[in-house]
């Protein structure tokens, strides 16, 4: 999951990188001896092609089969033939819209919170406080070490302190408020912790590709204020990684089951499991839809992220390669 | 002469003599403060609660708390130990298979000339690597469960297939681990510069010799790092297994969930905390291997 941001970047720079590589990296000696190389290439080419085709075909079959089979499962009822009821009845299903809206709301809150926390910290670490950098990195990466199920044991323990020790203090009200059924803030907090490693990695990669100190100094010496520098100079350059961070967080929150179910809330993933017993077909249909939606989001975001910023990040890309 | 004069000057700025410099330091530090405070509260406190609860026992009558090793000891015995080793076995096996398959697929993608295939496959990997959890479990139940489509068509049950078993879980885990490995490996394989291979060829090396002496040593940290990352991912996975097998395969995540949500005996929560601590220690060990490896591979693959 962590590596997903690299996909967008690789796809973006793949073409330019390849042309650049072949142009500058082919050694003179090789170019001077084309005959020998061509002969060798002809001899060697067929073998890897067969191998490559077999590998990709097998992989494709393995990854497509469950998707196709699930689709068949949802539309084909043994003895009755093909029906699309599992999909048409979805919208009216009990709890579908509530749980989906809850998940989307949680995702939006998590994205906003994690970006608000991480963006200033990472920019600050880049321009002003390099000594803080390892601290911020470790702090952001630590949640990777803690599996969600372990985190939730800690959270339940802490939440139990509310009624047990703090019932006489104003903190108790806070403990009740964060566990509100309609919008469980405690989930936003937990999800932000889980999302931090991915947000950090995505933003860090983006900041690495941009020469932040130079940009900031140039903007500052032109008289731009700090908010202006961040909003109009740095953030547009980070568009790809911001989109990547937001997407990863959205995917994480929409699919999250462990923490929500053990804390007793009912967002989307928990809802799917709760209906699976009575309506197996519908639960599979929702699973397929969630995959399609994720796919669509990824495509849209990778387009939105790369297209406008290609020109802006072009110099940075070439710098990185040198 | 210039060096000694600049050094005290810099020290002076830290102490607060030059206004321009001084303003910069604290300000940027403040921008990182919300992040540090947040993680301290929302991550540090639960972690502390796990560690504290795992090694203490509170008497329900007197309210007195004392340190004890019994929870940790119990978490390493009987069915709890079985679930830990079950998780480690499953994670190691799936990570190993996924590493091999992922490298093969990644190499096939990197060497293929079709840019469209490559970008489509990478996008697909990005989605599939995230397609863990509940939806994946249901897709596999529909495919290879008891009344699944493939089970019915190919009579898999007659062949001894059981989705709700260790083997079944392995096949399901590979579905998100292999794409993850592809994502991790493609940049590394891209980083193998063509001129290294050309240099090796010009010196008369065969393809096998190139991989043995140049390719694999350069890739080794990335591959090992990928393996470790997959291990950690599989080890921490809970939703897929929870939606799929319930209790028939002993996994530590399922045991923790049982202890947290079931009608538990007193003190059982503390065993859950101890198991959580065990998991964190194992995952921490894994990350302690992974991060230096990543740094090492970054040195070569730029």
């Amino acid at each position: 999951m962590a590596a997903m941001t690299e996909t967008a970047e690789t796809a973006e720079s793949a073409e330019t990188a390849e042309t650049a590589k072949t142009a500058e990296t082919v050694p003179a000696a090789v170019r001077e001896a084309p005959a020998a190389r061509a002969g060798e290439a002809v001899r060697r080419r067929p073998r890897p092609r067969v191998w490559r085709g077999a590998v990709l075909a097998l992989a494709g079959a393995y990854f497509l089969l469950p998707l196709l089979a699930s689709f068949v499962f949802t539309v084909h009822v043994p003895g009755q033939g093909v029906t699309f009821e599992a999909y048409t009845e979805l919208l009216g299903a009990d709890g579908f819209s509530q749980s989906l809206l809850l998940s989307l709301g949680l995702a939006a809150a998590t994205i906003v919170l994690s970006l608000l926390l991480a963006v200033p910290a990472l920019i600050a670490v880049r321009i002003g406080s390099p000594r803080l950098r390892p601290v911020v990195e470790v702090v952001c990466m630590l949640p990777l070490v803690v599996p969600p199920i372990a985190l939730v044991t800690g959270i339940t323990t802490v939440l139990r302190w509310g009624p047990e020790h703090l019932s006489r203090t104003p903190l108790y009200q806070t403990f009740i408020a964060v566990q509100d059924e309609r919008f469980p803030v405690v989930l936003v907090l937990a999800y932000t912790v889980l999302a931090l490693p991915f947000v950090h990695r995505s933003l860090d990669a983006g900041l690495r590709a941009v020469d932040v100190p130079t940009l900031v100094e140039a903007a500052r010496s032109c008289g731009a204020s700090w908010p202006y520098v961040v909003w109009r100079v740095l953030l547009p350059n980070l568009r790809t990684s911001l989109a990547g961070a937001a997407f990863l967080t959205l995917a994480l929150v929409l699919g999250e089951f462990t923490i929500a179910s053990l804390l007793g809330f009912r967002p989307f993933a928990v809802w799917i499991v709760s209906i699976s017993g009575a309506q197996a077909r519908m639960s599979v249909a929702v699973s397929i839809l969630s995959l399609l939606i994720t796919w669509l989001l990824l495509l849209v975001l990778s387009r939105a992220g790369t297209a406008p910023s290609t020109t802006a990040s072009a110099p940075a890309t070439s710098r990185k390669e040198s | 002469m210039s060096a000694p004069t600049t050094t005290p000057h810099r020290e002076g700025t830290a102490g607060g003599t030059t206004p321009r410099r001084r303003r910069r330091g604290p300000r940027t530090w403040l921008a990182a403060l919300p992040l540090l405070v947040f993680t301290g509260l929302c991550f540090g406190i639960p972690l502390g609660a796990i560690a504290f609860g795992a090694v203490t026992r509170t008497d329900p009558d007197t309210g007195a708390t004392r340190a004890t090793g019994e929870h940790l000891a119990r978490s390493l015995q009987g069915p709890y130990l079985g679930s830990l080793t079950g998780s480690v076995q499953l994670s190691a096996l799936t990570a190993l298979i996924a590493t091999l398959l992922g490298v093969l697929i990644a190499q096939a993608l990197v060497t293929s000339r079709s840019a469209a295939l490559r970008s489509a496959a990478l996008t697909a990997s990005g989605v599939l690597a995230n397609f863990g959890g509940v939806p994946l479990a249901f897709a596999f139940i529909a495919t290879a469960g008891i009344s699944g489509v493939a089970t019915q068509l190919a009579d898999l049950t007659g062949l001894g297939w059981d989705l709700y078993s260790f083997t079944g879980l392995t096949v399901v885990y590979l579905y998100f681990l292999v794409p993850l490995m592809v994502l991790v490996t493609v940049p590394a394989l891209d980083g193998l510069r063509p001129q290294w291979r050309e240099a090796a060829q010009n010196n008369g090396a065969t393809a096998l010799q190139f991989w043995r002496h140049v390719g694999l040593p350069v890739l080794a940290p990335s591959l090992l790092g990928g393996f470790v990352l997959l291990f950690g991912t599989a080890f921490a996975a809970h939703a897929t297994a929870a939606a799929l097998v319930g209790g028939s395969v002993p996994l530590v995540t399922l045991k923790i969930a049982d202890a947290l949500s079931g009608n538990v005996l007193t003190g059982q929560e503390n065993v859950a905390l101890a198991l959580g601590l065990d998991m964190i220690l194992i995952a921490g060990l894994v990350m302690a291997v992974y991060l230096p490896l990543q740094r090492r591979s970054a040195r070569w693959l730029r």
Side-chain angles (χ1 to χ4, degrees):
Chain A
M1 186 196 265
M4 173 172 283
T5 50
E6 283 160 35
T7 335
E9 272 166 46
T10 329
E12 177 193 359
S13 60
E15 246 172 88
T16 47
E18 257 163 47
T19 42
K21 256 182 210 162
T22 42
E24 58 185 66
T25 58
V26 175
V30 176
R31 264 182 267 144
E32 278 164 22
R37 243 186 89 71
E40 199 187 356
V42 168
R43 215 167 9 98
R44 309 183 64 216
R45 202 171 280 167
R47 196 168 48 109
R49 263 208 186 150
V50 173
W51 163 88
R52 190 197 303 150
V55 166
L56 291 179
L58 279 177
Y62 171 67
F63 286 108
L64 282 180
L65 179 73
L67 299 179
L68 288 178
S70 320
F71 182 70
V72 171
F73 181 83
T74 56
V75 297
H76 181 258
V77 183
Q80 287 177 37
V82 173
T83 164
F84 285 89
E85 267 172 25
Y87 294 90
T88 51
E89 283 174 6
L90 197 57
L91 280 176
D94 192 27
F96 171 75
S97 46
Q98 289 102 304
S99 62
L100 185 59
L101 282 179
L102 177 60
S103 272
L104 289 176
L106 290 172
T110 308
I111 290 171
V112 169
L113 181 59
S114 58
L115 288 182
L116 277 181
L117 290 171
V119 169
L122 283 172
I123 291 178
V125 163
R126 276 275 149 189
I127 45 182
S129 322
R131 251 185 271 166
L132 257 183
R133 194 152 154 206
V135 178
V136 168
E137 197 176 323
V138 166
V139 160
C140 285
M141 285 303 163
L142 265 185
L144 275 186
V145 176
V146 179
I149 187 105
L151 184 63
V152 81
T153 60
I155 293 175
T156 43
T157 311
V158 173
L159 288 181
R160 232 180 299 137
W161 292 349
E164 277 175 16
H165 304 296
L166 306 167
S167 47
R168 305 256 171 78
T169 62
L171 258 180
Y172 183 57
Q173 291 307 318
T174 325
F175 269 69
I176 299 296
V178 296
Q179 295 182 69
D180 191 337
E181 280 277 315
R182 284 162 297 167
F183 193 80
V185 177
V186 64
L187 287 186
V188 174
L189 301 179
Y191 292 165
T192 306
V193 169
L194 290 188
L196 270 184
F198 309 114
V199 171
H200 173 271
R201 201 171 284 192
S202 180
L203 290 177
D204 193 50
L207 283 165
R208 230 176 259 268
V210 182
D211 190 353
V212 179
T214 309
L215 278 180
V216 170
E217 266 169 40
R220 290 289 283 161
S221 45
C222 290
S225 66
W226 268 109
Y228 190 90
V229 170
V230 171
W231 190 249
R232 299 300 300 271
V233 179
L234 289 182
L235 288 188
N237 271 302
L238 292 176
R239 198 187 306 220
T240 316
S241 46
L242 287 173
F247 169 74
L248 286 173
T249 312
L250 179 66
L252 184 137
V253 175
L254 280 185
E256 211 286 328
F257 168 78
T258 304
I259 294 182
S261 78
L262 286 175
L263 290 181
F265 299 109
R266 208 171 176 230
F268 201 51
V270 182
W271 177 77
I272 302 181
V273 175
S274 73
I275 62 158
S276 68
Q279 289 159 299
R281 238 163 271 283
M282 193 183 281
S283 68
V284 175
V286 175
S287 302
I288 298 179
L289 284 183
S290 76
L291 177 72
L292 286 181
I293 292 169
T294 324
W295 202 304
L296 217 68
L297 271 174
L298 181 69
L299 283 178
V300 168
L301 273 169
S302 65
R303 287 275 156 74
T306 49
S309 66
T310 320
T311 42
S313 64
T317 321
S318 56
R319 275 175 56 88
K320 200 167 54 175
E321 251 167 65
S322 61
Chain B
M1 206 49 212
S2 64
T5 45
T6 48
T7 321
H9 177 71
R10 284 233 177 104
E11 278 168 2
T13 59
T17 40
T18 324
R20 196 168 150 26
R21 280 266 164 172
R22 194 190 58 189
R23 225 179 54 202
R24 227 182 170 191
R27 232 197 214 179
T28 49
W29 185 78
L30 279 178
L33 194 61
L35 177 76
L36 300 179
V37 171
F38 172 83
T39 45
L41 285 179
C42 295
F43 185 59
I45 293 181
L47 268 195
I50 296 172
F52 183 75
V55 298
T56 58
R57 174 182 204 85
T58 305
D59 198 299
D61 302 323
T62 58
T65 304
R66 59 183 173 79
T68 172
E70 65 176 297
H71 306 306
L72 281 173
R74 265 181 73 189
S75 77
L76 296 175
Q77 284 167 8
Y80 294 117
L81 180 66
S83 71
L84 268 175
T85 50
S87 274
V88 169
Q89 277 170 2
L90 180 68
S91 314
L93 180 70
T94 51
L96 186 67
I97 301 175
T99 305
L100 297 176
L101 296 180
V103 169
L104 274 181
I105 296 173
Q107 175 68 12
L109 285 179
V110 166
T111 55
S112 95
R113 300 261 159 75
S114 159
L117 172 74
R118 184 192 154 106
S119 76
L122 283 177
T123 317
S125 302
V127 176
L128 293 174
N130 278 299
F131 188 43
V134 174
L136 178 65
F138 285 129
F140 264 93
I141 290 174
T143 308
I146 292 171
S147 59
V149 173
T151 321
Q152 304 280 323
L153 281 180
D155 188 28
L156 289 176
T157 324
L159 298 170
W161 165 256
D162 178 14
L163 179 66
Y164 314 99
S165 67
F166 192 88
T167 323
L169 219 48
T170 308
V171 172
V172 177
Y173 274 29
L174 287 180
Y175 200 84
F176 59 89
L177 290 178
V178 171
L180 183 56
M181 189 64 195
V182 171
L183 284 182
V184 177
T185 320
V186 162
L189 288 173
D190 274 337
L192 277 186
R193 310 232 173 110
Q195 58 266 50
W196 294 345
R197 181 187 279 265
E198 280 151 9
Q201 279 175 352
N202 288 347
N203 287 326
T206 61
L208 201 67
Q209 280 173 321
F210 166 75
W211 283 111
R212 160 121 176 57
H213 296 289
V214 182
L216 280 181
V218 170
L219 284 180
S222 326
L223 298 190
L224 206 53
F227 170 79
V228 167
L229 182 70
L230 299 189
F231 179 89
T233 311
F235 188 66
H238 164 248
T240 315
L244 199 62
V245 297
S248 60
V249 177
L251 292 179
V252 64
T253 50
L254 300 177
K255 275 278 182 301
I256 295 180
D258 282 350
L260 278 183
S261 61
N263 319 328
V264 292
L265 304 162
T266 341
Q268 198 93 349
E269 316 93 22
N270 288 62
V271 178
L273 291 175
L275 280 173
L277 192 62
D278 294 340
M279 281 193 83
I280 294 173
L281 292 180
I282 295 178
L285 207 67
V286 160
M287 278 300 147
V289 177
Y290 172 65
L291 291 177
L293 281 176
Q294 252 223 329
R295 218 154 272 160
R296 218 184 110 95
S297 67
R299 198 166 29 158
W300 280 100
L301 307 169
R302 239 170 244 280

